[in-house]
Every structure is written in C-alpha cells, then in structure tokens.
Amino acid sequence: MIEIRNLHKSFGSLEVLKGVNLSLEKGKVLVIIGPSGSGKTTLLRCMNLLEMPNAGSLKLGDSNLSFDGGRKPGKKDVLKLRQNTGMVFQSYNLFPHKTAIENVMEAQVVVQKRSKEEARSRSAELLAKVGLSGKEDAYPHELSGGQQQRVGIARALATNPEVMLFDEPTSALDPELVGEVLKVMKQLAAEGMTMVVVTHEMKFAAEAADTVVLMGDGVILEQGPPAQVLNRPSDGRAAEFLNLLT
Ligand code: ADP
C-alpha cells in the first residue's frame, strides 16, 4: 500500500529527512517513534504532501510519485493522494463554529460533492463508530479533548481513505482521555485499516503495531516487529532512546 524510497526533505538549509526507505502492506499498522525533532511528523506529512519532499519517491495506493530532479506532482496527483489519506492531527483542527456532525460532513459535501442527506447519514454512522452517538449536534467546545479527537478520526474516515495517518493523536490529551482514543484506533486496525501512527505511546506501539520504525536525526535507526525494535534494538542510539523512556 505504501512504498517510500530514498525520501529527502529539507527546510532551507536544515535537512530533516536524509533518505528514508520504508514500505507497508495493506491492512498493516506502522508506528513511528523517536526523539523530538528526529523528523517523524515531517515524514508523515510527506505521505500526503502536506510537506513536499525534495527527492526520492512515494507510492501510496495507486499514486506513484517521484520527486527526483526537483520534480513536483501536479494538482490532480496531490488531490488524489490527499483524498486517499485521512489525516488526524495532534490538535484536532476541528471547525469551532460547526457541530460534530457538520465537521464530519464538510469534506464529503465540499470535496466529494455528496448530497447533504447522504453526507449526514454517513457522518452519523461514523460518529457512532467512534462512540459518539448522541453528540452529533455538540460544538467542539462542548466536547472533551478525547471526544474532539474522536470527531477528528470520524472526519478523516469520511472520504473513505485507503490509508489513515495519525500525527501524535493523543499528545494534547489529559492522560485519562488517551485510552478512549487509542481504543478507537485499535478497533480501526482490527477492522483492517492501513495505518501510519506517530506516537510516544510505547504500549500502543507494542500492542497495535505490525512494524515499528524508530527514527533518529532524519534516518531510520531500526525497523521491524515491535518485539524486536522495542526490546532488543541493535543500534546504540535506538537503545539509548528507548532506555530514556523507561
Ligand atoms: P518530530 O516529529 O520527530 O518531533 P519534526 O518532523 O516535527 O520532528 O521536525 C524535524 C525538524 O524539522 C525539527 O528541527 C523542526 O524544527 C524542523 N521543522 C519541521 N517543520 C518545519 C518547517 N515547516 N519549517 C522549518 N523547520 C521545520
């Protein structure tokens, strides 16, 4: 479903991704961990072109893009890739003046041109799926952080993406609200959704990941099944990072 080859990304003179290679099969969960500033979020944002890579290639679903030689994808290719990926942000990014259900409906009506009735019924189903039946008409400020993030997940699912991208989805939450969001993510994984998750939640990585990628300073230090990467990393820097967390 995803294949990334020799991906590079710089911001000005700061090289943030220094040649990243990874692949992910359909229905699998990839968790990206690593120290702050190592390039995790940038890598994730490159997967839906919220950041434009400077070199390398990206395959995702039936999008097949090369950035070598300064090549940039056309508008159509960007749109196609965006529609095929659902992004969940750390800070939810809900429209504050729209209700939960209106937030979930938005892209379906504006981008996918579904009728309002169709979008509303699909959105109600999605809100039920994330455990928010009865909250359809609540505004974001009337919801807890965990509930807002679950709306964020429903919204990301609304366009039927083949891949879900999660950027530290629980980092902004009070500790007691983290579990309800992780539960929804685990449920999605169990249903066979292909997912890439940047997180500091090591327990989630251990329990839900098929593959864990440990990044350090713009490169992948370790990549493999959670038991291997989390318990016996072969790279010294990886071991150091994991020890810091325990
Ligand atoms: P992580 O997610 O591992 O904490 P990031 O991908 O957010 O790391 O950031 C990696 C590096 O890139 C950091 O040094 C950060 O300051 C820098 N960076 C990220 N986004 C931008 C940007 N839009 N402009 C300039 N520098 C950026």
Side-chain angles (χ1 to χ4, degrees), residues 33-40 168 200 215 217 241:
I33 61 171
S36 182
S38 57
K40 304 181 297 295
E168 301 197 24
H200 296 289
M215 287 193 71
D217 199 18
F241 168 70

Side-chain angles (χ1 to χ4, degrees), residues 9-12 14-17 33-45 51 167-168 198 200 215:
K9 173 66 184 174
S10 299
F11 294 106
L14 180 68
E15 193 180 22
V16 174
L17 298 180
I33 61 171
S36 182
S38 57
K40 304 181 297 295
T41 289
T42 302
L43 174 58
L44 192 79
R45 289 169 65 88
E51 300 295 351
D167 187 10
E168 301 197 24
V198 173
H200 296 289
M215 287 193 71

Side-chain angles (χ1 to χ4, degrees), residues 90-92 143-150 168-182 201:
Q90 180 178 349
S91 51
Y92 334 132
L143 299 170
S144 72
Q147 290 171 330
Q148 289 185 56
Q149 189 57 296
R150 286 185 281 144
E168 301 197 24
T170 59
S171 300
L173 297 175
D174 291 335
E176 72 272 19
L177 302 177
V178 168
E180 66 191 58
V181 173
L182 294 181
E201 295 288 336

Side-chain angles (χ1 to χ4, degrees), residues 65-76:
L65 307 170
S66 168
F67 309 96
D68 289 330
R71 259 187 278 180
K72 287 201 174 85
K75 245 187 176 168
K76 253 187 167 168

